[in-house]
Amino acid sequence: MKARAFSYFRAATIDQALDAHARAGDDARFIAGGQSLVPALSLRLQAPRLLIDITHIEELRGVRREGGYLRIGALTRHCEMLSEPLIAEFAPLLHAAAPFVAHPAIRNRGTFGGSVALADPASEFPAMTLALDAEIEIAGPSGSRRVKADDFFVELFETALQPGELITAIYVPLFKADQRFAFDELARRRGDYALVGCGMLATCTGERIDDIRISFFSVGNTPTRVKGAEATLIGSRLDAERIAAAQAALEGDLAPPDSDDVPPAMRLHLARVLLGRLLGRLGEGA
Amino acid sequence: MSAPLTSLDRPNSYIGRSVPRPNAKRLLVGRGRYVSDLRLPRMLDAAFLRSPHAHAKIVAINTEQARALEGVHLVATGEDLAKICTPWTGTLDHFKGMTSAPQLPLPLDRVVWAGQAVVAVVAESRAIAEDALELIEIDYEDLPVVVDIDRAREAGGPLINPGSVNNTCFRAQLDNGAVDDAFAHAAHVVEEEFSFGRHTAVTLEPRAIVSDYDPAADALTVHHATQTPYQFQDLYSRHYGIPEARVRVIATDIGGSFGMKLHVYHEDMAVVGLSILLGRPVKYVADRIESFVSDIHARDHRVRARMALDAKGEILAMDVLDLTAIGAFSTYPRTSVVEGNQVIRLMGAPYRFKNYRATLEVIFQNKVQTSQYRAVGHPIACAVTERLVDMAAAKVGLDPFAIRAQNVIADDAYPQTSPTGYRFEALSHQACLKRLHEMMGYEALRAEQADLRERGIYRGIGIAAFVEITNPSPAFYGVGGARISSQDGAILSLTPSGEIRCLISVTEQGQGTEAIISQIVADQLGLAQEHVKVITGDTEVTPHGGATWACRGAGIGGETALQATRVLKRNILEIAALILQEQPSALDIIDGEVVDAVTRNQRMPISEIARIAYFRSDTLPPGTQAQLTVSHHFAPQGYPFAFTNGIQGCSLEVDVETGFIKVLKHFIVEDCGRVINPMLVDEQLRGGIVQGLGAALFEECRYSETGQLMNGSLADYLVPMPMEMPDIVIGHVETPTADTVLGAKGVGEAGTAAASACVLNAVNDALTPFGATINSIPITPTKVLKALKRF
Ligand SMILES: Cc1cc2nc3c(=O)[nH]c(=O)nc-3n(C[C@H](O)[C@H](O)[C@H](O)COP(=O)(O)OP(=O)(O)OC[C@H]3O[C@@H](n4cnc5c(N)ncnc54)[C@H](O)[C@@H]3O)c2cc1C
């Protein structure tokens, strides 16, 4: 299929981009890596009048430390999650998740900001912003604001972003010496969207878990933190019994959707298996 | 490796050599010319509006707004095309009693599957044509949808074709020997019900066609991504009433076909009609979603089968019921019953028993048509037989290798007739079994499996023997009234510069046909391979022949090339003998030089013979007419099919917590007769195995209860990818057919024939400690976890 005809505007600044969007009466889409938008246009699932290319806006680029955070520009590409030393050092969970996102050709173009803005419940990065307690920086007609990842993902493909607003950067708290992380997913083929995926970040004193954030993807309408499971683990040591308790808690945390080939009970089972394996690795100091 | 036709150290001895294919570089550097690359002057693009319903009456079609859109040249409905195209019916006479409703390019009053093309738009660009599709309104009235095979068979249930008595397309029965008696006296009986999901070919290049009708000459040129240009020349001629000689079908570079591109598709027929209506070239390229809902699907069988054995594990009998659902029509012109027919005839093929009974029932339903796709019927017959053999082995207490060794037809016992009536010239099951056992390191694999099991790691080992149908004679289609050739033709010329041009009717879809033909010609003539140019796929220049279907390119096309080359060589040597004042029998050709047959001393280059014959014929003796172009046809005779055989092995690991399966290593020992190019044969085996592993583990067209295809994209329909594929170890046994000089049989389907059976056996082997079994393909994590009762 071929996309319907549209106009194209290349923005040089954030203001230009916001302005163009407003002037198009919001019948417009920002385009970053295009790895989700272009297929949607080709399938005629979306047919905006105007595409606003944001890939030439310098302010959306770059990865740098800012206070206790790593500021990751919205245009940071998936492949840079693998190659950028600052990410490997200060946001290793993103570095660990990146190889599981699609394939090299897509990682060369797809952007962090685009992935978070789209908020696909099966995507790795949006879920990891939850595990990382990240903050999303948004620019809009009425100025700039920062929204906690916990408040960002609202419903299926629905976020705190208002029409015409732009993600400018994602702020990730710097990884610390007393923290551990783990990531994995169960996908039929390497690079596919997973049947179930999970990432976690724990703060520990010796063997005791002081705090842990666990986030699943491909389990519902949004990326999902499993607070029940987290609660069973906080303040205790990771042993077989605790892990089993956390696995059992998932029943209350998750309500997987019905799909034609993966029944909800099976997805819940897989989530339990994956959680068990990841907590096991976390316990080994992975 | 094997005894070649001619000693490999002689110059130009290419048969048996792994030479690279001459066209590979051109394709790799992006110089291929596919139909979708074509841009003809005044060419327009077509797009189709498709039915969202699986079964509905078309009440009204409003195309007014679409016609008015700027850039739109034609909006055509079923009625418009029915005026110029005669209907077709997908039946063949040798399938007694089969029925199917007549078909037209676009439907008149009823749609019978979701995704069926209903209205065509032709416009300046594909994008404009798609804009126009959005402006067309069709009023549908829902009719009862029949998706499920049991529902389709219910007496008094909804009918797919009004006026028919039931939804049965075809029934066939085989009954050989004394089956009831054998089961009554059997020491062991194993029985199981198997299901095989629908899947589809997923070629890299989708279906593509450019039809160019010239009203001034009443001539039609169709650039068509097909493996059978001659068949389509005939069909376009007959259904559109254009004399055959004025219809030209050109099949240029093709990005994979696997059987999918040899059937008549409604859109393709429509595009020919659209170009006739407009008098302009019209292009249509199926996009991926269209491919999923309109390319033929395959398999979709449910088989109940049982096997009787004596106390020692000797197979006594098989009894089989195969139910298969094929969509709303039988495909034209090869029908949709060939797969079922081959399923019931290939059952038990490697084995010695004689008592066999089978029933085949082919059923209509509201889905897209199924038809021939790589290894037609083989994977099903193989999986059913081989799983039953494994079940029997467990029951009798024999190792899978041992029970097969005991039951296969002995290598020295040929000719033989299979329990279903196929005649085998010479097969090599015993040699293949022995070879596989060594290649797998079977004893060590079993020991490792036992060790790992102790540690909670569940590995499975599976083997599967198979027989493949190749080199088909007219017994396949011709006898049923189909104008589908099983012979091939070649035209060979010596060029004035002393090279060879070979026009041949077999076609190239990426498998290396042109490479092996040039090997055979160079070998037989005595010339460097780079001096042989092979041209395929243009009905205006290449002679009429079967082209590519079943497995026939090397066996039949190769023999055609061999025989044609021998005739040309004789002609060349006759002229050489006149010039050199020798007897032709005293001369030979090596490396493009005429030599003394005994001393091998060079006498003169063949380029010199060409020069004299073409430019200085005055210097030849009076009355000499040099015949440096020869045409030659070859039709297979002797056995109606050249059967091949082999055996595959698989080692895999099942994650019993997640249900995921990792194939660790796959093995095959295969006997395709004379191997012309070992590298290409191995490529065929590897590719075929990967397609079989796809079927075993990933591929399935899933439908909703209302007949909607649920996974019609490459994100949802999973094909095997390199990361999931194992190393494949290949071994060969060579039993040439005596029906031809060349001795080659087919190899294109061998990999696919048994790969899924092997995986099925290996997975069941892995699950043995849990008492769980799976008899359904594809084997998904869902099925594994269900079998293990994990959720
Ligand atoms: C074959 C294939 C496989 C894939 N597999 C995976 C996978 O396994 N896991 C995974 O996570 N993803 C996968 N993807 C999606 C890929 O990661 C996308 O790149 C990503 O989801 C979107 O990023 P993008 O920069 O390409 O966004 P675009 O496609 O350009 O845009 C997507 C949406 O986000 C909006 N947008 C983009 N940037 C911004 C911004 N800065 N502010 C506000 N809105 C913005 C756009 O307007 C649009 O609506 C796959 C894609 C393909 C084609």
Side-chain angles (χ1 to χ4, degrees), chain A residues 21 28-39 46 51-52 54-55 60 74-76 78 100-103 106-107 109-120 122-126 137 161 165-169 185 191-194 217, chain B residues 715:
Chain A
H21 206 289
R29 284 280 181 290
F30 300 121
I31 179 162
Q35 296 304 294
S36 296
L37 184 57
V38 172
Q46 294 189 22
L51 282 196
I52 303 162
I54 59 172
T55 57
L60 304 182
L75 287 178
T76 304
H78 302 342
F100 294 88
V101 181
H103 306 276
I106 294 149
R107 294 201 290 265
R109 282 185 174 271
T111 66
F112 192 25
S115 178
V116 172
L118 186 67
D120 187 322
S123 269
E124 288 81 359
F125 291 139
E137 184 185 68
L161 275 179
E165 285 188 330
L166 199 58
I167 295 181
T168 45
E185 64 178 44
D192 277 353
Y193 287 106
F217 51 98

Side-chain angles (χ1 to χ4, degrees), chain B residues 332-559:
Chain B
Y332 184 66
R334 289 165 196 258
T335 82
S336 303
V337 307
V338 173
E339 176 145 282
N341 193 51
Q342 289 193 179
V343 168
I344 60 167
R345 284 169 204 277
L346 282 163
M347 288 281 176
Y351 304 108
R352 218 172 27 227
F353 68 97
K354 289 289 172 223
N355 307 303
Y356 180 76
R357 182 165 59 208
T359 302
L360 165 68
E361 222 181 287
V362 181
I363 309 292
F364 293 119
Q365 62 181 165
N366 291 118
K367 290 185 188 173
V368 70
Q369 286 155 288
T370 67
S371 198
Q372 282 76 297
Y373 160 65
R374 195 176 201 169
V376 187
H378 294 69
I380 292 150
C382 181
V384 169
T385 304
E386 292 302 280
R387 174 81 185 110
L388 288 179
V389 169
D390 265 18
M391 289 166 66
K395 215 160 185 182
V396 183
L398 285 170
D399 179 86
F401 269 98
I403 193 169
R404 287 173 174 83
Q406 181 184 334
N407 280 285
V408 291
I409 301 170
D411 292 1
D412 60 7
Y414 292 94
Q416 275 280 346
T417 302
S418 83
T420 69
Y422 279 142
R423 282 166 53 218
F424 301 143
E425 179 195 6
L427 301 175
S428 57
H429 293 296
Q430 289 175 319
C432 290
L433 260 175
K434 190 162 166 289
R435 189 73 198 286
L436 181 75
H437 196 272
E438 294 158 12
M439 261 169 47
M440 289 178 83
Y442 185 70
E443 306 301 343
L445 261 190
R446 282 284 178 212
E448 184 191 41
Q449 176 187 41
D451 275 356
L452 289 171
R453 232 173 235 183
E454 302 282 308
R455 290 159 39 202
I457 294 169
Y458 296 93
R459 293 229 170 135
I461 301 163
I463 60 174
F466 64 91
V467 167
E468 191 205 335
I469 305 174
T470 82
N471 292 6
S473 73
F476 213 101
Y477 291 115
V479 296
R483 298 167 67 86
I484 294 169
S485 192
S486 51
Q487 62 79 51
D488 276 297
I491 300 170
L492 243 64
S493 310
L494 181 68
T495 70
S497 309
E499 305 146 316
I500 300 292
R501 259 166 65 89
C502 172
L503 306 161
I504 192 158
S505 56
V506 284
T507 53
E508 170 77 79
Q509 290 79 47
Q511 73 275 58
T513 306
E514 294 179 357
I516 60 153
I517 296 298
S518 68
Q519 280 179 262
I520 292 166
V521 171
D523 183 287
Q524 292 295 303
L525 194 84
L527 189 70
Q529 193 196 0
E530 61 263 32
H531 297 314
V532 178
K533 174 163 187 187
V534 177
I535 296 156
T536 63
D538 181 349
T539 61
E540 201 90 321
V541 294
T542 50
H544 190 95
T548 304
W549 56 271
C551 271
R552 61 187 306 289
I556 301 176
E559 180 72 6

Side-chain angles (χ1 to χ4, degrees), chain B residues 39-210:
Chain B
R39 281 263 139 230
L40 298 183
R42 303 177 67 245
M43 189 174 80
L44 301 169
D45 284 277
F48 292 89
L49 187 60
R50 293 174 183 280
S51 167
H53 305 280
H55 197 191
K57 211 173 125 191
I58 302 170
V59 179
I61 302 179
N62 184 346
T63 61
E64 211 170 302
Q65 271 187 296
R67 283 177 209 276
L69 190 73
E70 194 177 325
V72 170
H73 285 250
L74 178 67
V75 179
T77 62
E79 230 166 281
D80 300 324
L81 288 164
K83 286 179 193 144
I84 56 170
C85 180
T86 58
W88 60 87
T89 306
T91 55
L92 285 172
D93 301 341
H94 62 315
F95 298 121
K96 296 264 176 300
M98 87 167 285
T99 64
S100 182
Q103 303 175 57
L104 282 166
L106 300 174
L108 296 176
D109 52 10
R110 218 160 45 90
V111 289
V112 287
W113 85 87
Q116 183 177 7
V118 183
V119 183
V121 172
V122 187
E124 300 281 339
S125 72
R126 171 82 184 231
I128 295 174
E130 288 182 17
D131 289 345
L133 295 184
E134 294 182 7
L135 302 173
I136 295 172
E137 289 164 27
I138 304 182
D139 240 356
Y140 292 104
E141 200 177 286
D142 275 325
L143 292 168
V145 176
V146 184
V147 178
D148 181 67
I149 192 164
D150 293 319
R151 178 110 199 274
R153 293 174 78 226
E154 265 170 29
L159 292 173
I160 312 281
N161 296 301
S164 53
V165 285
N166 54 33
N167 290 320
T168 304
C169 166
F170 179 58
R171 271 182 70 93
Q173 251 163 337
L174 293 174
D175 200 346
N176 297 332
V179 173
D180 288 328
D181 201 46
F183 275 93
H185 296 101
H188 303 283
V189 173
V190 285
E191 176 164 2
E192 192 52 76
E193 182 162 301
F194 301 87
S195 71
F196 300 86
R198 265 185 174 236
H199 52 259
T200 186
V202 195
T203 52
L204 263 185
E205 178 211 25
R207 274 162 44 219
I209 185 167
V210 171

Side-chain angles (χ1 to χ4, degrees), chain A residues 197-218:
Chain A
C198 178
M200 56 184 66
L201 182 70
T203 309
C204 308
T205 307
E207 291 301 296
R208 199 188 66 224
I209 295 180
D210 295 328
D211 192 18
I212 188 166
R213 295 172 67 94
I214 305 173
S215 177
F216 275 88
F217 51 98
S218 278

